[in-house]
Amino acid sequence: MIENPMITFPLLILFLPLVSFIVLIFFGKKLPRQGDWFAVGSILTTFILAVYLFIQMLTNYDTDFSHGASLSWIDMGAFKIDLGILVDNLTIVMLLIVTLVSSCTHIFSLEYMKGDVRYNRYYAYLGLFTFSMNGIVLADNLISMYMSWELVGVSSYLLIGHWFEKDSAANASKKAFLTNRVGDIGFFIGIMLLYSAVGVFTFAPIFDSISGGEAIAGLTLTLAGLGIFMGAVGKSSQFPLHIWLPDAMEGPTPVSALMHAATMVAAGVYMCVRLFPIFTADALTVIAYIGAITAILAALTAITQNDIKKVLAYSTVSQLGFMVLAVGTGVYTAAFFHLLTHAMFKANLFYCSGSVIHSMHHALHEAHDHDTDPQDMRNMGGFREKMPITYYSMLISTLAIAGVPLFSGFLSKDAILAGTLAFAQQNPGHFLLPLLGFSAAAITAFYMFRLIFMTFHGKPNMKNIYKDIHESPKEMTGPIVLLGALSFFIFYTLPSNFNPIKDKGWFTDLIVPRNSAVPGSLTANEIAEYAHHAHYLAMGLSLFVAAAGILLAVLMYQRQSISAEKLSKKFGFLYYWSYNKFYFDENYNRYLYQPFLRLANSISWLDWEFYDKYFINGLGKLTNLFSKISGKFDYDGIDQSLVDGFGRVSAVSGKFLRNIQTGRLQNYLLFVVAGILVIIIAQAF
């Protein structure tokens, strides 16, 4: 009997994907269809349970809705670690996101990954990843979160490098893993700084201790907050650790949708939202600028990319920048709102791109063309008639990410921009934050409609394969239609609001901002009040920049009244900077990787050529010489002379005595008489 489903169901959501991983990794090859039905069934069960929790949340409609459970893991007196789960409104919404997108990924992969050489392992790794992500969401303390955090890194490494036969995929997985380790080191340092001051890892006691202002404050608290934020910089692909995410598109497209649109990259934002009360004003300012820089740099990079998945990858980085910007300016619930809406429309955009790539693969295979890149948008065009479901669903999600009214992205992006504008109004010295934010929003609308026009509109760029382009099977179009529908505003403004430009609804009612634990910080009400006053101005500017971006894309890529080629030549310097991703990889290679490689080679030379060759090998030779001398002395002196000499004396003596020992009594009596005689004679003399 279930005593408390609000604890039992989250635990099932947590561990069912782990069971799926264990079953498929050990027995997948022996199961029918390599166990994909077991993986899909497990994750669909978790989604159903998450829906139940969501309904319970809506039924209670309580901002303080919360349940928790914990057990003692390590107890060494002063050092104690508990493992526990926290189930509140924030947790439930995040669980719904993870299980929904993961379920769609499992179903989408049935067709997309059919015939893969490691089919069972693919589904096993999906289960491990989902388990890890759910662990981050449910954690009620920093240690539980950190363990799941690292496990997400491991499982993402396995999924990105699924096709490890390709050097690009293997390198991308290593790049993602190592880059994330940089951020994770900062995360761990931040955790240790907090623990050394507070003495606990659990969230609530940490917040209480900080609010007292006695255990940790000032610069130490700022550094602890920035250390923890470093984890988000790595996981959520923020500047300057954003370089791994675009390369991670080497993994299967469903993996891109799962990890790099809705879950893994969202983990950093979720962590910042969960731990928002610990960030000082100085830390938040740094966070805001990191988010703004990331948003604009990634957006500027996306406008020149031709790989459809690369465009979406940089789009993800840019949108994550928006979320981090929102956290930094204090409107962290708007960041979480955008995390929710972005998960739906960005996952759908990846699925739609996967649908296009799947059709391109088929058409190129029919044409016996193994050289053409199926992900290059310059090889597409005119797909609207051939793939109507994919087209309209992708168009809906594009309208959402561009911030057009009637769609979810408008509501969440408007809330972020309003908060950013309000922050600048209260702090005029930080006017760059809204400037960068609105600029990134305009560019987002431009490059997303560029993608739509290049892929689906105009004339086919490869007429020889166009006839074989077709709509994807229902296993792929089903998730596309579902997530496309969830890109409309109405699902986020129910039950009372039907106004497409007003974000009030179940989300804003139940996910309410909390006051910071840092003494002297603005209250949640004050931040909300400032954002409210800036709302209509932000909305007007948001609509204007979205319209400007879309119009420019129409003129350049649909009507072609403005030549993109001429513009690229006119702004050649900027174009090449954007096309080459601002040379981050090249500069990292030149100024970071190569110097460290040379340092490593120098140390290696010292180790191998000096220390090992002369010291270790010399010591070995000396030992060998000593052993030879010692062996010769042992063999010739001790063994041959002394030991064997004693042996020979013993042998001669034994032989003599054996001749004496005849066994005859008269001989023994004769010896006795002779002995007596010898004694008598000796005494006589």
Side-chain angles (χ1 to χ4, degrees):
M1 180 177 291
I2 298 174
E3 295 183 359
N4 187 358
M6 302 308 296
I7 298 297
T8 305
F9 285 2
L11 288 174
L12 288 173
I13 292 172
L14 175 63
F15 287 110
L16 276 176
L18 180 62
V19 172
S20 173
F21 165 73
I22 294 171
V23 170
L24 266 70
I25 203 72
F26 289 108
F27 310 107
K29 288 284 188 182
K30 301 177 182 179
L31 295 174
R33 292 173 54 93
Q34 297 192 40
D36 60 356
W37 54 272
F38 186 85
V40 174
S42 299
I43 199 64
L44 282 175
T45 302
T46 66
F47 173 61
I48 293 169
L49 294 174
V51 170
Y52 172 84
L53 296 177
F54 184 70
I55 293 171
Q56 290 296 110
M57 181 187 77
L58 294 179
T59 302
N60 286 271
Y61 221 75
D62 181 8
T63 58
D64 296 320
F65 182 78
S66 179
H67 296 266
S70 65
L71 57 87
S72 181
W73 181 38
I74 298 175
D75 193 348
M76 301 172 63
F79 183 76
K80 186 178 181 181
I81 299 177
D82 294 333
L83 296 181
I85 63 171
L86 173 63
V87 184
D88 58 8
N89 294 343
L90 200 67
T91 305
I92 292 171
V93 173
M94 195 66 189
L95 284 177
L96 188 66
I97 295 171
V98 174
T99 56
L100 172 60
V101 179
S102 185
S103 297
C104 290
T105 298
H106 278 69
I107 295 170
F108 189 90
S109 299
L110 291 172
E111 183 65 30
Y112 192 89
M113 299 299 292
K114 182 185 290 185
D116 189 86
V117 293
R118 288 177 293 276
Y119 190 67
N120 69 302
R121 286 185 173 270
Y122 170 80
Y123 273 102
Y125 295 153
L126 284 181
L128 180 64
F129 178 86
T130 306
F131 162 73
S132 309
M133 191 64 205
N134 287 336
I136 294 175
V137 175
L138 287 166
D140 73 340
N141 65 86
L142 290 170
I143 290 297
S144 296
M145 179 176 280
Y146 187 75
M147 290 191 298
S148 297
W149 193 271
E150 293 294 341
L151 198 54
V152 164
V154 172
S155 52
S156 65
Y157 167 80
L158 295 171
L159 285 168
I160 296 169
H162 178 72
W163 291 321
F164 55 79
E165 300 90 348
K166 296 165 53 183
D167 289 339
S168 56
N171 292 332
S173 63
K174 289 184 286 186
K175 186 177 183 180
F177 187 81
L178 294 174
T179 305
N180 273 272
R181 295 292 73 71
V182 176
D184 294 350
I185 291 172
F187 189 13
F188 187 76
I189 293 172
I191 291 173
M192 291 299 104
L193 282 174
L194 280 178
Y195 178 78
S196 63
V198 179
V200 293
F201 293 107
T202 308
F203 298 151
I206 291 175
F207 299 159
D208 293 338
S209 182
I210 292 173
S211 63
E214 298 177 357
I216 184 171
L219 180 61
T220 306
L221 182 57
T222 298
L223 292 175
L226 290 176
I228 287 174
F229 174 66
M230 277 295 296
V233 172
K235 277 289 186 292
S236 292
S237 192
Q238 297 296 288
F239 171 85
L241 301 181
H242 64 287
I243 57 173
W244 68 269
L245 184 59
D247 288 357
M249 298 301 110
E250 289 292 339
T253 299
V255 170
S256 302
L258 176 64
M259 295 196 309
H260 309 127
T263 53
M264 177 182 173
V265 295
V269 177
Y270 172 80
M271 182 264 287
C272 289
V273 171
R274 175 64 74 185
L275 299 177
F276 178 82
I278 75 167
F279 295 119
T280 64
D282 291 336
L284 289 174
T285 301
V286 174
I287 291 171
Y289 274 98
I290 291 292
I293 293 169
T294 303
I296 192 67
L297 279 180
L300 287 170
T301 305
I303 62 177
T304 58
Q305 304 304 306
N306 296 310
D307 185 310
I308 190 171
K309 287 179 66 177
K310 284 288 178 69
V311 175
L312 296 178
Y314 280 104
S315 170
T316 298
V317 176
S318 182
Q319 297 303 304
L320 290 166
F322 272 108
M323 300 175 206
V324 172
L325 172 62
V327 172
T329 53
V331 286
Y332 71 94
T333 55
F336 190 64
F337 191 21
H338 198 55
L339 187 155
L340 169 62
T341 61
H342 176 262
M344 303 304 152
F345 59 68
K346 180 54 63 68
N348 187 48
L349 289 170
F350 270 109
Y351 290 144
C352 290
S353 71
S355 177
V356 172
I357 295 168
H358 181 267
S359 185
M360 282 286 292
H361 270 296
H362 171 77
L364 290 170
H365 177 75
E366 292 295 321
H368 304 287
D369 185 347
H370 305 292
D371 299 320
T372 300
D373 185 358
Q375 297 182 186
D376 194 327
M377 296 184 296
R378 293 170 297 184
N379 299 326
M380 303 174 188
F383 286 10
R384 178 174 57 176
E385 289 77 17
K386 293 283 188 172
M387 307 180 70
I389 297 175
T390 300
Y391 168 70
Y392 285 108
S393 185
M394 197 168 196
L395 179 62
I396 290 169
S397 293
T398 299
L399 290 166
I401 195 174
V404 175
L406 298 179
F407 303 95
S408 60
F410 169 79
L411 301 176
S412 55
K413 187 175 287 187
D414 179 63
I416 291 173
L417 293 174
T420 305
L421 187 60
F423 182 84
Q425 289 174 342
Q426 298 301 314
N427 304 274
H430 299 299
F431 68 93
L432 274 178
L433 293 176
L435 180 62
L436 294 176
F438 283 103
S439 299
I443 298 170
T444 299
F446 170 76
Y447 68 68
M448 286 306 305
F449 273 90
R450 170 180 178 264
L451 182 151
I452 289 290
F453 294 141
M454 289 183 69
T455 305
F456 295 99
H457 288 250
K459 297 179 180 179
N461 292 316
M462 295 188 68
K463 296 181 180 180
N464 60 317
I465 66 167
Y466 182 73
K467 63 180 188 307
D468 293 312
I469 298 294
H470 58 82
E471 187 61 88
S472 298
K474 61 181 182 299
E475 291 89 349
M476 297 173 68
T477 55
I480 287 174
V481 172
L482 173 62
L483 292 173
L486 291 174
S487 298
F488 285 96
F489 81 97
I490 195 68
F491 295 100
Y492 310 93
T493 60
L494 294 173
S496 56
N497 179 32
F498 296 91
N499 188 341
I501 61 172
K502 191 174 183 180
D503 61 5
K504 183 174 174 56
W506 67 264
F507 183 91
T508 54
D509 289 343
L510 296 176
I511 309 297
V512 297
R514 307 291 184 184
N515 292 331
S516 173
V518 180
S521 299
L522 292 174
T523 66
N525 286 334
E526 288 173 330
I527 295 172
E529 187 67 22
Y530 294 145
H532 177 72
H533 288 303
H535 174 69
Y536 289 106
L537 176 59
M539 182 188 297
L541 291 173
S542 176
L543 291 172
F544 173 77
V545 298
I550 296 171
L551 178 62
L552 183 60
V554 169
L555 294 174
M556 290 181 65
Y557 293 99
Q558 188 184 41
R559 296 187 178 181
Q560 297 182 351
S561 54
I562 299 176
S563 174
E565 186 177 350
K566 289 181 179 179
L567 276 179
S568 66
K569 291 179 180 179
K570 185 177 181 180
F571 299 97
F573 174 78
L574 295 175
Y575 172 81
Y576 283 108
W577 270 64
S578 171
Y579 183 77
N580 291 289
K581 312 158 196 174
F582 291 92
Y583 299 97
F584 273 102
D585 285 302
E586 290 82 359
N587 286 317
Y588 276 152
N589 183 63
R590 180 179 299 174
Y591 299 113
L592 186 63
Y593 304 150
Q594 291 302 321
F596 272 99
L597 184 61
R598 287 193 291 271
L599 177 63
N601 288 332
S602 300
I603 295 173
S604 176
W605 182 86
L606 287 173
D607 182 48
W608 285 99
E609 299 297 326
F610 181 76
Y611 181 76
D612 190 73
K613 190 174 183 179
Y614 293 104
F615 184 75
I616 300 298
N617 290 348
L619 187 61
K621 290 176 181 179
L622 185 63
T623 304
N624 188 42
L625 178 63
F626 179 77
S627 65
K628 287 181 179 180
I629 296 172
S630 173
K632 189 170 182 63
F633 175 76
D634 179 64
Y635 183 77
D636 293 339
I638 305 296
D639 189 65
Q640 292 293 313
S641 300
L642 189 60
V643 176
D644 287 0
F646 275 118
R648 286 191 290 271
V649 170
S650 299
V652 172
S653 302
K655 187 176 181 181
F656 175 74
L657 292 173
R658 188 168 62 249
N659 292 331
I660 296 175
Q661 297 286 339
T662 62
R664 295 176 181 177
L665 182 61
Q666 55 268 34
N667 288 348
Y668 296 147
L669 291 173
L670 181 62
F671 288 138
V672 172
V673 172
I676 292 171
L677 290 174
V678 171
I679 293 170
I680 293 171
I681 293 169
Q683 288 179 343
F685 287 98

